[in-house]
Amino acid sequence: MAGEEETATTSSETTIATTPTWAVATVVFILILLSLFIEHLIDLLSKYFNKKGRKPLIQALDKVKSELMLLGFVSLLLTVSEKSIANICIPKNLGETFRPCSDPSNDGEEEAKCLEQGKVSLLSRQGVRELQYLLFVLAFFHSLSCVLTFGLGMAKTRSWKSWEAETRTFEYRFSNDPRRFQLIHQTSFARRHLRSWSEHRFLLWPKCFLRQFYASVPKVDYLTLRHGFITAHFSEGSNFDFQKYLKRALEKDFGVVVGISLWIWIFSMLFIFFNAHGFYNYLWLPFFPLLMLLVVGTKLQGIITRMCLDSQDRSHVVRGAFLVRPSDDFFWFGRPKLLLHIMHFILFQFEFGFRSCFHRRTEDIVIRLVMGILVQFLCGYVTLPLYALVTQMGTSMKKTVFPETVLEGLDRWRANARRNVTLKNNYVRARPSLDTSLDGSRSIGTSFSFSLHPSYSVTSVDGAST
């Protein structure tokens, strides 16, 4: 027994000084090789996006790289300050409050300094290592979740390409001829949204809630919102490619969602603080993102119906295609961008490992997995495309309405215009001083006359020629 205990103690205290050099070199080589591979992969992706002119995706990739750098810096700080943190001692009764588990196993070794004082460490060395792993997994799965959500959203918007092509056919132009008039209830968009439940709030929202699960974006809604957007911002009958615009807008929004902003980090810290066993958040937390996602989807469906009701209040006769009026008033607090930040919050899910005290039963693991997959699919394939379509119905249009090449040309034109204005202002300010100096020269009896003769002579009043 004594020999086994001595062997266990010796193996637990093995340091790099007692480790074979070939083992250290092998581990370091593998880590460096893996890091170079990831760096090369990111560089290839950046070159590919640059070749395709996908500037928003390049910006999103830069955000991912900055987050990885931030995580590396946080990990370095935790590694350097591991001993200092463990030497911070707190009373035992304070260390037993706000514990995540009701009966945690205390496998971490306390510092001798704290044991001598009858206290416990603020965070043991093992706890610091687990915190490093937790923060890395949190950021990694957040970025992975955003990429999967973006992929599902792009797949859904790609299916709208055939609807966009239909708007260029003769049949579509004939059926939406501005010279044709019809009652509003005769249009397919009104038949979908103007029902007996449309004007009753307690009936409207349940119906909008259920619409998320079947035909969340039908063709009639896409074509009607497209017509309203083009009529509001372009000339009627324009051949503007609305589907490509939605694709560019979705890429721009992806750059926002993939990042971990300051308020997201603050939320994660608050979540860690209130993750005590007494709050029983392992029972309701898996359902919270799904509930928020369904609320956002219900709001988006309700906005479409409200736009239909608004058009009915203005006129009961439709000329050509059904026309909706874009306005920020349909959105919460008049801010369409607020819905994007809520979805950003939803995708940021705090995850614990399957071996934690919260997942000792198989039922807990199954519920967690099912809710995570359901939220991922519903957000990427249903809510995100619906958001991309409906939020274009704000008062102002986004900068992504122009292709990247046009935006670059506009930026160059603006830079040249500013430079020309600056030069003109400098010339206007310098002109009075030049006039003053010339007047001063005349006052001392000298005046100049300029000749256009090929000799380029300049003659003064005293007859001297140069």
Side-chain angles (χ1 to χ4, degrees), residues 406-420:
V406 176
L407 289 177
E408 292 176 357
L410 290 175
D411 289 338
R412 287 195 297 268
W413 173 83
R414 183 174 59 180
N416 291 333
R418 287 180 176 176
R419 185 169 60 252
N420 293 335

Side-chain angles (χ1 to χ4, degrees), residues 277-340:
H277 177 75
F279 293 103
Y280 298 99
N281 55 6
Y282 58 91
L283 297 177
W284 53 266
L285 182 63
F287 304 95
F288 186 66
L290 179 62
L291 179 62
M292 290 187 62
L293 190 63
L294 294 176
V295 170
V296 172
T298 302
K299 175 62 178 177
L300 292 171
Q301 291 287 350
I303 289 174
I304 300 178
T305 303
R306 286 182 58 196
M307 285 191 293
C308 185
L309 292 172
D310 178 70
S311 299
Q312 182 192 29
D313 295 337
R314 287 186 285 110
S315 176
H316 291 277
V317 178
V318 176
R319 183 176 67 89
F322 194 102
L323 182 63
V324 293
R325 179 181 60 89
S327 175
D328 290 342
D329 297 334
F330 297 120
F331 298 88
W332 283 324
F333 306 105
R335 297 180 57 192
K337 201 77 171 180
L338 181 62
L339 295 173
L340 179 65

Side-chain angles (χ1 to χ4, degrees), residues 27 38 49 92 98 129 172 189 200 207 214 240 272 274 277 314 338 360 450:
V27 172
I38 295 175
F49 292 149
K92 282 188 176 181
F98 282 83
R129 301 187 195 103
Y172 176 82
F189 185 73
H200 300 279
K207 182 64 178 179
Y214 65 94
F240 177 73
I272 293 175
F274 289 106
H277 177 75
R314 287 186 285 110
L338 181 62
R360 288 178 179 173
F450 296 87

